[in-house]
Amino acid sequence: MSHVVTLNAGSSSLKFSLFTLHKDDPVAICTGAVDRIGSPEATIAAKTSDGRVLGGDGVGPIADHVAAMNRVLDLLTQWFPKAEIVAVGHRIVHGGPDHDRPIQLTPDSLRALEDLAPFAPLHQPYNLQGVRAAIERFPQAVQVACFDTAFHRHHPWVNDTFALPTEYYDMGVRRYGFHGLSYEYIADHLAKTAPLLHGGRVIVAHLGNGASMCGLIHGRSVGSSMGFTALDGLPMGTRCGQLDPGVVLYLMQQKGMTADEITELLYCKSGLLGLSGLSNDMRTLEQADTGAARRAISYFNFRARRELGALAAVLGGLDAVVFTGGIGENSALVRERVCVNMGWLGIELDHDANTEHARIISTPLSRVQVMVIPTNEELVIARAAARFVYPHMYEALLDKAAARTG
Ligand code: AMP
């Protein structure tokens, strides 16, 4: 039977999945992750869809992403010797201004994506290393790039631009928006399970180690909190979120910091980690109960509330809010704090439903329905990859999805 591998490389992690291509939809048979790449304590963990643990700790040092990628591809071949890998789907963080959908990777398109590396220096190079490793290992397989920016490519110009002279827009300095694969999954899920809400005005809060919010009308992105890079908008695990550009000028001109030092500060030392001085991990902060940890959580919630209000104004009202991502799906505390005193916007949270992580966490009388929907970026990637291999088998499915998302 035909299979698709999905690869999703972060700055120090690599998530992977193996899907079987069934007639209706790809089905995941194994998911896993390599964590702490580059550290002596790297781990690989994987499990099958029926809960069997495949990987394990103690894999020893994994020096870099190429080593991680090769180890994963080795393990997948060892665990599933009969799997026929017909395609590898890659999450690629930046597709630039031209890509509004997945593409089949060719040597030319790979080179063009390399040119976008300066737009996402901490993600794009790792994503593309994954592509190269997969081409070497599975030269016969179709390699498909799925872009985090693609979902937002048709948002209005006012959300696409900065107030800079237009030549900067023309050179690609734009608000691209990210987490598009997650938003695509949620939009499709709503279309299937709550078509009326899908047809309305929805804010999706993807709150994880990376965090952003997106305003959707009829399943299409009209505004996103992230901009030119994945730094903008909400504070994140280690990223600062929205920042006055004057701060960067001050750090350079008055404090003599180099571009590399500022990059390290804004991407790796800020956000929840910087504010708490303790951890980038929301679970750790919720349990820590120190003043700094509480302040870090307060700032996170404050900015999320601010963005929720701003996006509701962009949408001209609100019909639903969806929480997703590791924090959005699991932190009742954050959801509660983000939604408290939002009655003016039509949001009334059901405390018990929220604590129990129910799918709908607003009261029956709440004008705005608030939901928790686990995201599934891997499935979005696998579907896209499957489409390139078996266009006939998946065309109808994807046409239906396209019709649903408008
Ligand atoms: P992600 O990047 O989507 O995997 O999300 C990672 C974030 O989700 C980390 O900050 C985790 O601490 C957070 N998270 C996961 N589970 C929980 C939980 N039960 N309570 C609070 N935060 C959680």
Side-chain angles (χ1 to χ4, degrees):
M1 197 172 241
S2 302
H3 293 78
V4 166
V5 174
T6 67
L7 296 173
N8 177 352
S11 46
S12 65
S13 67
L14 171 66
K15 292 186 190 157
F16 58 92
S17 304
L18 185 67
F19 282 81
T20 304
L21 295 188
H22 282 273
K23 193 155 87 31
D24 302 336
D25 214 4
V27 174
I29 55 171
C30 164
T31 55
V34 188
D35 278 312
R36 298 200 205 102
I37 296 171
S39 100
E41 292 103 39
T43 57
I44 298 184
K47 61 178 183 338
T48 57
S49 47
D50 54 8
R52 201 156 45 90
V53 175
L54 293 170
D57 293 349
V59 290
I62 293 185
D64 56 24
H65 281 71
V66 175
M69 208 70 71
N70 280 320
R71 187 74 70 91
V72 164
L73 298 176
D74 276 347
L75 286 172
L76 285 176
T77 337
Q78 184 186 315
W79 291 331
F80 302 95
K82 292 193 183 141
E84 186 205 347
I85 312 292
V86 292
V88 184
H90 303 266
R91 179 188 183 186
I92 307 286
V93 75
H94 222 301
D98 298 331
H99 294 301
D100 64 356
R101 64 198 64 194
I103 58 165
Q104 182 170 349
L105 285 158
T106 61
D108 281 350
S109 59
L110 197 51
R111 266 192 298 278
L113 295 179
E114 270 158 7
D115 292 342
L116 295 173
F119 286 2
L122 298 193
H123 291 93
Q124 194 87 342
Y126 304 122
N127 299 158
L128 299 180
Q129 278 175 13
V131 175
R132 275 185 228 98
I135 291 175
E136 205 164 296
R137 183 59 63 98
F138 303 114
Q140 79 294 350
V142 174
Q143 307 286 333
V144 176
C146 300
F147 304 107
D148 253 336
T149 48
F151 187 73
H152 305 287
R153 283 325 310 132
H154 298 293
H155 61 197
W157 175 83
V158 283
N159 191 78
D160 205 43
T161 193
F162 297 104
L164 293 170
T166 53
E167 60 262 34
Y168 291 90
Y169 182 84
D170 296 340
M171 70 174 74
V173 181
R174 304 181 187 191
R175 295 181 54 85
Y176 290 96
F178 297 87
H179 287 138
L181 301 174
S182 177
Y183 295 130
E184 184 177 335
Y185 175 80
I186 300 293
D188 183 61
H189 185 84
L190 282 179
K192 286 175 183 150
T193 58
L196 280 180
L197 291 179
H198 169 266
R201 300 155 298 183
V202 179
I203 293 176
V204 184
H206 178 108
L207 307 180
N209 200 34
S212 71
M213 280 194 191
C214 179
L216 305 174
I217 293 183
H218 206 85
R220 284 179 173 256
S221 166
V222 293
S224 156
S225 64
M226 274 187 174
F228 178 57
T229 65
L231 271 181
D232 201 4
L234 304 177
M236 296 167 235
T238 60
R239 287 173 256 164
C240 58
Q242 192 269 328
L243 188 75
D244 178 346
V247 172
V248 176
L249 298 177
Y250 171 79
L251 296 177
M252 287 171 70
Q253 292 167 346
Q254 307 301 325
K255 294 293 170 188
M257 286 176 74
T258 64
D260 283 349
E261 286 167 344
I262 296 175
T263 302
E264 172 81 3
L265 172 72
L266 303 186
Y267 276 96
C268 307
K269 294 183 173 168
S270 299
L272 295 174
L273 174 65
L275 285 172
S276 69
L278 178 69
S279 173
N280 64 323
D281 192 290
M282 184 60 83
R283 227 171 336 190
T284 308
L285 297 184
E286 285 185 8
Q287 285 156 9
D289 204 28
T290 65
R294 279 195 294 275
R295 281 196 296 278
I297 298 175
S298 292
Y299 183 77
F300 184 88
N301 296 334
F302 168 73
R303 296 304 307 208
R305 288 169 65 79
R306 220 177 116 140
E307 199 62 45
L308 190 72
L311 281 172
V314 168
L315 297 177
L318 192 58
D319 299 303
V321 174
V322 177
F323 283 97
T324 192
I327 298 172
E329 291 164 29
N330 297 299
S331 175
L333 177 80
V334 167
R335 293 192 303 252
E336 177 103 40
R337 299 260 178 94
V338 171
C339 293
V340 73
N341 295 332
M342 284 275 187
W344 61 274
L345 195 53
I347 296 176
E348 299 289 349
L349 210 66
D350 178 329
H351 178 78
D352 292 341
N354 183 43
T355 309
E356 288 157 17
H357 306 288
R359 182 173 176 274
I360 296 174
I361 57 170
S362 47
T363 65
L365 292 180
S366 180
R367 199 164 45 71
V368 172
Q369 193 164 104
V370 185
M371 285 180 275
V372 178
I373 302 178
T375 195
N376 194 342
E377 292 157 299
E378 274 64 35
L379 180 58
V380 174
I381 299 172
R383 283 174 177 162
R387 183 192 186 185
F388 280 94
V389 186
Y390 296 120
H392 302 304
M393 185 161 134
Y394 285 96
E395 213 159 80
L397 174 80
L398 285 145
D399 282 351
K400 264 192 256 161
R404 275 195 301 270
T405 51

